Amino acid sequence: MLSLALEQGEAVVRIRDNGVGIPEAMMPRIFEMFAQADSSSDRTRHGLGIGLALVKNLVQLHGGSIAVNSAGLGLGSEFVVRLPLLAPDAAQRLSVRQPAAARPGETPGETPGETPGRALRILVVDDNVDAAESMSMLLQILGHQVAIAEDGASALEAARALDPELAFLDIGLPEMDGYEVARRLRDEVGATAPA
């Protein structure tokens, strides 16, 4: 369940689920980098343990805070994000800059006077389809050519077609992990493939 409320000058976002919950011993470390309740080496099902640390940092960069509550295993969890609201006069001063239509000789979204970046051929490999598509959309908005793959075998196939200059790889892929995909990309295609 997702809810948004205004409380004492803050936007408060609550995300509640009825999933597996969080063990009490894990609660103090839940926002630490690489922290996971399941410490098995098979991370293909459970991720890498960086998501909540990343969320915490992003929320703090916006002057907010995040907290978690869980009654224990099997009882779900609730995350509460608090973000400060802008003062009305500050909100009015802000405006979203829309990219101008490209003129002849300009890259779309380029501002006159700025040094345009070179468009790259980029491969995004992630078995989380939403994450891969989000990354792909962002990179395309920035003017890059992007191919998506959901596993190691399709990543190698896509790389042969695209000849990528850069690859973003999920380490916890099924069957062939991101490290192996990176090795094969370097050997077979020559892409710069950070794991």
Side-chain angles (χ1 to χ4, degrees), residues 123 125 148-160 169 173 181 185:
L123 176 63
V125 185
I148 298 176
E150 297 175 26
D151 57 49
S154 61
L156 295 173
E157 185 178 323
R160 290 180 193 109
L169 300 173
L173 294 170
V181 174
L185 283 174

Side-chain angles (χ1 to χ4, degrees), residues 17-116:
D17 66 35
N18 58 359
V20 297
I22 301 168
E24 186 176 340
M26 186 65 194
M27 295 293 280
R29 300 184 327 114
I30 194 73
F31 294 107
E32 292 176 8
M33 189 68 88
F34 305 115
Q36 293 182 316
D38 178 2
S39 60
S40 71
S41 61
D42 177 15
R43 296 179 186 250
T44 60
R45 291 180 43 226
H46 302 290
L48 298 172
I50 63 172
L52 290 176
L54 179 63
V55 168
K56 180 181 178 183
N57 286 334
L58 289 172
V59 167
Q60 288 177 336
L61 285 171
H62 287 86
S65 64
I66 184 168
V68 62
N69 301 303
S70 180
L73 289 176
L75 300 174
S77 306
E78 179 184 50
F79 290 85
V80 181
V81 176
R82 296 179 177 276
L83 295 167
L85 297 177
L86 286 175
D89 60 328
Q92 289 174 354
R93 288 193 309 263
L94 290 177
S95 63
V96 177
R97 191 182 91 188
Q98 296 295 326
R103 296 183 190 108
E106 289 182 350
T107 303
E110 178 183 324
T111 302
E114 287 184 359
T115 304

